[in-house]
Amino acid sequence: MIFVKELVSAILQTALSDAVADGSLALETIPAIDPERPRDAAHGDWASAVALRSAKAAGRAPREIAQVIVDHIGEHPDVESVEIAGPGFINLTLSVHALARVLTDARTQKRDFGRGADKQQYVQVEFVSANPVGPMHVGHGRWAALGDALALVMEHAGYRIQREFLLNDEGHQMDVFAESVAERYLELLGRPFDEDAIGYKGAYIKDIAAEIIAAEGEVWADKDADERRAYFRERSYAQVLEHMKAVLSGFGVQFDHWFSEHTLHVPDGTGQTAIMRTVDFLRQAGYIFDEDGAIWFKSTEFGDDKDRVLIKSDGVATYFAADVAYHADKYSRGFDLVINLWGADHHGYIPRMKAAVAALGHPGQLEVLLGQLVTLMRGGVPVRMSKRTGEMVTFEELIDEVGVDATRYHLVRTSSDQQLVFDIEQVSDQSANNPVYYVQYAHARICSILRKAGGVSGDHSVDIDALADTVIPADADLTLLASDAEIALMRKLTEFADVVERAARDRAPFRLTHYAEELAATLHHFYGHCQVISDDTALTAARLYAMDATRHALACALRLIGISVPVSM
């Protein structure tokens, strides 16, 4: 697998080193080459400012240095042309010989196309982490799509990833949840109940109560109220959790670990909880003080705007204390970096959490990505309520109406720090106007052409990989791919590895959707200008080779977003 940026860097590095070696340039150290893709394609495939960076040390004008470097590149098989622009930029255009290598990489590497080397970095991505007291809303769906896509992209870039879901199964909301189910249970049985005690009013509470009645009848109606609530808390929580897992699994999201917040409050064999142990650790480190009967964390020592209470004067731990203990647990599991996806309303919580992580001995090892709200529309009209329930539109309902692929794609397509308008009517449109179908159709079109080339046009069950290996010669003459459309397709394919690397680095999986759409557009342009199957056997083989390489790149891009890869549409 070649990374084209590294190839260009090597070409310039060699030319510069040769110039120093033969005395053409006087440099003690060679500065960073750091080539970049020009915004204007007319300026070549890559540009480098290395001549400008070398000017002071070499004591010469940048354009003179650039000319020396260009002279030492000479007749290079991977270079079509090289020119000097502006004050001394070196613009380099790759040859068909170099570009064609990406086609071989894509066909050889298949699912591993664009995969980065192992970065030896163990990263946890924690996302969704909804309260297990009811159905997930569309915002949770956005975190699910973004978090999973980020994990997929980072894995492909060479990070070692663990996906985690934090279960907020401790605290007052769980008591209110249990009480709500218990009262609805009594109501459905025709027993006296307290409407005012029902904190969660959604229809799903009645559904949970009805499930309990179907399974166990009236056995709990005459039990002690506290006993009933305690039982319903655990049983109802388990029901909601299993439903969450089923919805997420159907959405293509599988978590490696589900962490229970409740475990942080459970004493161990010595009578200490994880929260108590964490507070003791911080006290020994000198970051705790006592005031007004409460236990405080010196978060201002780490840049927070004020110190924070961990244990209130009544002895009850704050939510922040539980979060600190939770992160202590994370780092005890060996993560080099923790990435949390939170809602935008948690913005003010970040400084104290980063302060706590630093105090725990892991400064700089926490990143928090904030996700903005999702506004549901239908044909440009805001969607306030579900037609079925008259309540909020749940994530599950959205998936059922729109479908997994379209939902995932559009939830990932916008950067997490931007508000997202999700128009159900537009996202459900199964035409080329919908970007997810546009990209999927590009892949399906290639498969159709391969079936035609193999004489099996009507057989959609054929193994496309095996068919491609049969109809495309491994030694196809790729130097025949010299037209503008063919070169444009190869150039776009050379960008894939860089897009993956930058999307992982910047925690921006939405870039894969943009790339996939650009690649699909480039393919359609290629197909419109180049007859793939013709009487010219050699040219047919080369163009089929290019199409098949594009198929693998499209498939990789779609999989990294978590989208299916159809072979027919």
Side-chain angles (χ1 to χ4, degrees), residues 54-305:
S54 305
K56 184 176 181 180
R60 296 175 66 178
R63 285 188 67 91
E64 290 182 18
I65 297 172
Q67 186 62 59
V68 171
I69 295 172
V70 169
D71 291 343
H72 281 76
I73 291 175
E75 297 293 324
H76 196 291
D78 289 332
V79 178
E80 177 68 24
S81 65
V82 60
E83 64 177 19
I84 302 167
F89 292 102
I90 299 174
N91 294 340
L92 189 147
T93 300
L94 295 174
S95 66
V96 173
H97 174 272
L99 292 173
R101 271 191 266 173
V102 76
L103 305 181
T104 302
D105 283 342
R107 296 196 71 233
T108 303
Q109 299 296 326
K110 296 182 170 61
R111 284 176 173 264
D112 289 329
F113 179 57
R115 184 178 294 279
D118 187 351
K119 291 181 170 53
Q120 300 291 313
Q121 192 169 22
Y122 189 26
V123 180
Q124 185 203 69
V125 181
E126 183 218 318
F127 57 105
V128 184
S129 297
N131 291 340
V133 294
M136 290 182 289
H137 54 64
V138 179
H140 294 136
R142 190 181 191 190
W143 315 156
L146 286 169
D148 195 48
L150 176 61
L152 288 167
V153 170
M154 291 187 71
E155 282 176 331
H156 206 73
Y159 296 88
R160 302 175 185 180
I161 300 294
Q162 187 213 55
R163 298 162 176 81
E164 179 148 304
F165 189 118
L166 169 64
L167 292 163
N168 302 117
D169 54 0
E170 181 68 28
H172 180 63
Q173 84 276 1
M174 294 299 297
D175 297 328
V176 175
F177 175 53
E179 184 73 29
S180 300
V181 174
E183 295 303 323
R184 288 300 186 204
Y185 171 83
L186 294 173
E187 178 189 12
L188 290 177
L189 291 174
R191 301 293 190 95
F193 72 99
D194 184 357
E195 180 71 38
D196 293 336
I198 302 174
Y200 290 100
K201 305 291 186 180
Y204 71 93
I205 295 293
K206 282 189 176 181
D207 293 339
I208 294 172
E211 288 182 32
I212 296 174
I213 292 172
E216 302 189 41
E218 299 187 33
V219 66
W220 291 98
D222 298 316
K223 296 280 189 180
D224 174 76
D226 289 339
E227 183 182 357
R228 181 169 57 241
R229 280 192 296 270
Y231 176 75
F232 279 19
R233 173 180 170 130
E234 296 307 312
R235 178 180 175 122
S236 302
Y237 159 65
Q239 287 176 239
V240 171
L241 177 56
E242 287 308 307
H243 186 70
M244 275 184 175
K245 289 183 176 181
V247 171
L248 288 166
S249 178
F251 194 56
V253 178
Q254 299 290 338
F255 285 91
D256 303 302
H257 192 230
W258 298 73
F259 187 95
S260 167
E261 181 188 351
H262 177 67
T263 61
L264 301 171
H265 299 260
V266 177
D268 61 12
T270 67
Q272 275 203 321
T273 66
I275 294 174
M276 294 166 63
R277 290 193 298 273
T278 303
V279 171
D280 286 347
F281 175 87
L282 292 174
R283 187 182 291 279
Q284 292 174 14
Y287 301 128
I288 293 291
F289 68 95
D290 301 293
E291 186 175 285
D292 298 329
I295 299 176
W296 296 70
F297 166 54
K298 299 178 182 178
S299 54
T300 52
E301 294 193 13
F302 299 91
D304 196 8
D305 60 345

Side-chain angles (χ1 to χ4, degrees), residues 280-503:
D280 286 347
F281 175 87
L282 292 174
R283 187 182 291 279
Q284 292 174 14
Y287 301 128
I288 293 291
F289 68 95
D290 301 293
E291 186 175 285
D292 298 329
I295 299 176
W296 296 70
F297 166 54
K298 299 178 182 178
S299 54
T300 52
E301 294 193 13
F302 299 91
D304 196 8
D305 60 345
K306 61 181 180 180
D307 295 327
R308 305 291 175 174
V309 176
L310 294 177
I311 309 296
K312 294 182 288 187
S313 58
D314 60 3
V316 176
T318 62
Y319 286 115
F320 178 54
D323 279 337
V324 177
Y326 173 42
H327 282 76
D329 182 273
K330 291 186 185 213
Y331 294 109
S332 73
R333 288 181 263 156
F335 296 115
D336 301 303
L337 177 67
V338 168
I339 301 175
N340 295 338
L341 272 68
W342 291 349
D345 56 335
H346 287 75
H347 180 271
Y349 202 73
I350 297 174
R352 74 189 72 173
M353 202 66 251
K354 288 192 172 182
V357 168
L360 290 170
H362 305 280
Q365 290 178 253
L366 172 66
E367 292 182 17
V368 178
L369 306 181
L370 294 178
Q372 296 292 334
L373 297 175
V374 179
T375 300
L376 278 184
M377 309 280 280
R378 191 185 297 275
V381 179
V383 176
R384 304 297 184 192
M385 297 292 179
S386 162
K387 292 181 179 179
R388 182 177 66 83
T389 66
E391 300 170 354
M392 78 167 188
V393 178
T394 67
F395 179 44
E396 183 178 14
E397 287 178 299
L398 185 67
I399 297 171
D400 289 342
E401 179 171 355
V402 177
V404 171
D405 282 350
T407 301
R408 279 192 72 130
Y409 192 94
H410 284 273
L411 289 176
V412 171
R413 193 167 181 252
T414 303
S415 174
S416 62
D417 60 6
Q418 296 179 8
Q419 291 194 7
L420 172 64
V421 175
F422 191 105
D423 193 305
I424 295 172
E425 189 174 291
Q426 293 178 5
V427 175
S428 301
D429 178 25
Q430 297 188 24
S431 74
N433 295 324
N434 190 336
V436 63
Y437 293 109
Y438 180 73
V439 175
Q440 288 179 318
Y441 176 68
H443 182 273
R445 167 178 265 183
I446 296 171
C447 295
S448 176
I449 292 168
L450 290 171
R451 286 193 292 268
K452 181 179 179 181
V456 291
S457 295
D459 187 359
H460 292 169
S461 65
V462 68
D463 183 330
I464 296 296
D465 282 341
L467 179 65
D469 289 341
T470 299
V471 301
I472 302 173
D475 60 351
D477 184 3
L478 303 182
T479 62
L480 298 174
L481 303 173
S483 72
D484 289 345
E486 290 161 331
I487 291 173
L489 184 61
M490 289 188 287
R491 282 179 174 155
K492 182 55 65 176
L493 288 172
T494 66
E495 297 175 17
F496 183 69
D498 296 324
V499 170
V500 171
E501 184 68 24
R502 286 185 285 108

